[in-house]
Amino acid sequence: MELHRLFLPPLTAPGEVITFYSYKGGTGRTMALSNIAVLLARRQNATVPILMIDWDMEAPGLHHYFGQHEERPGVLEFFEACRAQLERFDLEPADPGGVDAEADAEADTVLAQRVLDAIDWQQYVVRVDQSSPLYLMRAGRFDASYSDRLADMHWDRLFHACPALFRCFADNLARHFRYVLVDSRTGRTDSAGICTTLLPKKLVVVFTPNRQSLEGVEALVTRAIEYRRSHEDEQRPLLVYPLPSRIEMGDGEQRAQWRRGDTHKGIFGFQPMFERLLRLSYGLPLIDLDSYFDEVQLQQTKTFAYGEQLAVRIDQGGDRFSLTRTFEAFLFWMTGGYFPWQSSREIHLLAAIDEARHTLDDGLSRPVALPLARDLGRLGELYSKEGKTGQALDCVRECLAMRARLLGEDHADTLDSKAALARLLRLCGKLDEARFLEEAIVDARTQLLGAEHPATLAGMANLAATLAQQGDCATALALQDAVLAAYMRLLGREHLLTLGALDSRAATLAQMGGLEQARTLLETVVAARERLLGVEHADTLDSQHALAQVLARLNDLAGARRLFDAVARAQQHRLGGDHPSTLATLDRLGEVLTRLGDWPAARMLHETLLAARERSNGLEHPDTQMSRRNLAQALARYGEPEAPHGGREPPLQALRGQRTPSWWPQQAGPSHEPAHDREQQRREQRERHNVARALEDAVLGASDSLLSAHHQSLAAASPYPERLLDVELHGAHGLHEAMMLGGHGAEPPATLAHMINTLQALLDSEQLRQARELADRLREPLFKPGVASKLRKRGMTVLKRTYRLQGDKDALVALQEEEVLALEGALEARVGNR
């Protein structure tokens, strides 16, 4: 049978190759690809060519959606032809580890292009829609030899013979098709690896909400991105778009559990999983997929559960219950060039801003420029809420410049833009600039609106916040008193603005050391916000958190414990157990438990924190390292008698009836244990100490690399690196003391190592007073840059032993705080260098 050949001219700009992958079958992957292909082919008056490739050759089925049953050659026959061409050229594969790897890679690309040029790819493609430019490359010709020929196609051998073949194949097709959609094989096969790792610019992972599907796509995405990173000839971006499928819309509870997660049922939701995966893969500090998954979930429907039906051809209503609308929402992100963590609001604002910029002439046209300034301000506000301060500053500055030019410096909208810019400058620590702007805002609003206008009072409150951060607490407090008096008179004692002013005044008082006054104010705010807003409102939780911090500073540890626990429970319920705000509150609770000496509760809390941070941030993140260090401390102290105030407090009355969180220890009755039980306890305690030491070693190893990396150039820059480093670590006085301890040899001893050895000897001989004096001198040089990891580890061990023998818990806590500060300093320096 003669085949009808196609003649497709190249595009003016290359298209995109997009792979659709699912780890397990039954996800509706092929159905999703075919519907999306139809929607794409309809765009631009149906003039943009779209190609579908059925690479699921073990279970082909894409052709069934288009009634295309004509036996034609496809993917299998195409690469059989490639293999034959490679054998004809009879060239050896390039050696990527050779002397000139770059030349080898270039030769490999030339070889791949020669092979592809020798094959007429258009004879392997068929048109499947006569009303739109939609094309299909079938899996192959399904004759009697198909299975044997497929088994004989060793994809790994073809790749090793010419590694650039698949990449060049994708590039060739992208020159003729706006989108090339590849239907990949499931699982972890060689062909699936080719489709997900070598071919695409974008990877769509289709999954159903179950553990097998989620674990499979997570492993695949990680492997694909790592391959792109680690191979010099594959340094191309790979954008990942998750596509949840077969979601049952009638069961809201399970849908929420599998999306957000439920720690009590052991369900780690698909949204936090992908947020963590994408954050770690792309090195981003924070990712939020709320807006994306609000719109993109393919629902399970009876109509399309049977057969191969195209939903977009039947269901063209496009209402919120339709599959068509969900597919269009997905394309909104994928084909618009947006990342899935960009919210729909951000995307709409960006589109409006881009359109307005194209409309503007060289001069500013008010009908276009004012809406543009408004949208820039809104986008800046959105970026500020998302923590993207730099982007927010750019938007707000441009908005302010436009409004000042068109409306004047003292127009209400211009002053609002100045206030937004001042808030961002305050967040960035640029306090002088923020103060200058806020003083101008207060002056202008006072003249235009009056001293007690709400906008004027808001400006005064913002100025007070900046003054407090500058340390001018007295002036800040005077402004806050004026704002509070006006709110009391105009709005009443329990208006939300009045409560906000009380909250700010309490923060300033706490900063000045007026803890009792701050406590009284915060108790008033907490009680009022609980009545007006509810116990789980974000403002209520903020004021409870602030009160708990004040109580901890007042040494009311039991009260601080109750409040931190209540806030953590509410945040876990509202935000999830792995949300950064929840984990930050648990950190505060852990500090209180440590001060109380309630090591069993501290142990369980830090186990929960460590597991959450390993899931969210990965093993090497500084927050994970800090959680590991805290758990090591709790394990080392577990089993010691509790401090006098270490009794477990019951949860808040308002939270009775809620499920007890995993970090709260269970109450136990009185213990009357026989001797063999005590021996078992001792063995368990030894095991805990061993685990604690292993955890501390892991933390020290991670922190050593960070603390040393930033200062490696110190020794290298000096002709006498060891001596200069020694002097920097100790100073002349410290070096002299260490030499005196070590005798009068011709060469000075290795100062820091000698001090550690001396301290160890003093402890062994039970000379605790002299050991303590030396330990206090040793603490500062131990965290200096450039100290070898093994030396720091030894020093930390001996210092901790010294303080434990003396029972000085305050010194232990101070030592750990110094360790944290040193690590944070190294991290900030590393980020700054980047």
Side-chain angles (χ1 to χ4, degrees), residues 63 102 662 748:
H63 58 284
E102 185 176 348
S662 58

PDB file of all heavy atoms in Angstrom, residues 63 102 662 748:
ATOM      1  N   HIS A  63      -3.695   5.826  18.880  1.00  0.00           N
ATOM      2  CA  HIS A  63      -4.388   5.890  17.597  1.00  0.00           C
ATOM      3  C   HIS A  63      -5.883   5.617  17.736  1.00  0.00           C
ATOM      4  O   HIS A  63      -6.689   6.049  16.909  1.00  0.00           O
ATOM      5  CB  HIS A  63      -3.764   4.893  16.608  1.00  0.00           C
ATOM      6  CG  HIS A  63      -3.785   3.478  17.085  1.00  0.00           C
ATOM      7  ND1 HIS A  63      -2.906   3.008  18.042  1.00  0.00           N
ATOM      8  CD2 HIS A  63      -4.595   2.433  16.754  1.00  0.00           C
ATOM      9  CE1 HIS A  63      -3.152   1.731  18.271  1.00  0.00           C
ATOM     10  NE2 HIS A  63      -4.176   1.353  17.504  1.00  0.00           N
ATOM     11  N   GLU A 102      34.701  17.578  24.727  1.00  0.00           N
ATOM     12  CA  GLU A 102      33.896  18.537  23.973  1.00  0.00           C
ATOM     13  C   GLU A 102      33.890  18.199  22.496  1.00  0.00           C
ATOM     14  O   GLU A 102      32.848  18.244  21.831  1.00  0.00           O
ATOM     15  CB  GLU A 102      34.436  19.945  24.212  1.00  0.00           C
ATOM     16  CG  GLU A 102      33.590  21.029  23.554  1.00  0.00           C
ATOM     17  CD  GLU A 102      34.106  22.421  23.884  1.00  0.00           C
ATOM     18  OE1 GLU A 102      34.956  22.530  24.788  1.00  0.00           O
ATOM     19  OE2 GLU A 102      33.656  23.376  23.239  1.00  0.00           O
ATOM     20  N   SER A 662       1.565  14.392  67.846  1.00  0.00           N
ATOM     21  CA  SER A 662       2.547  13.320  67.992  1.00  0.00           C
ATOM     22  C   SER A 662       3.698  13.702  68.900  1.00  0.00           C
ATOM     23  O   SER A 662       4.387  12.831  69.419  1.00  0.00           O
ATOM     24  CB  SER A 662       3.093  12.947  66.606  1.00  0.00           C
ATOM     25  OG  SER A 662       3.666  14.081  65.982  1.00  0.00           O
ATOM     26  N   PRO A 748      56.390  26.202  68.493  1.00  0.00           N
ATOM     27  CA  PRO A 748      55.137  26.278  69.251  1.00  0.00           C
ATOM     28  C   PRO A 748      54.235  25.102  68.901  1.00  0.00           C
ATOM     29  O   PRO A 748      54.257  24.612  67.780  1.00  0.00           O
ATOM     30  CB  PRO A 748      54.513  27.598  68.798  1.00  0.00           C
ATOM     31  CG  PRO A 748      55.100  27.849  67.446  1.00  0.00           C
ATOM     32  CD  PRO A 748      56.484  27.277  67.487  1.00  0.00           C
TER      33      PRO A 748
END
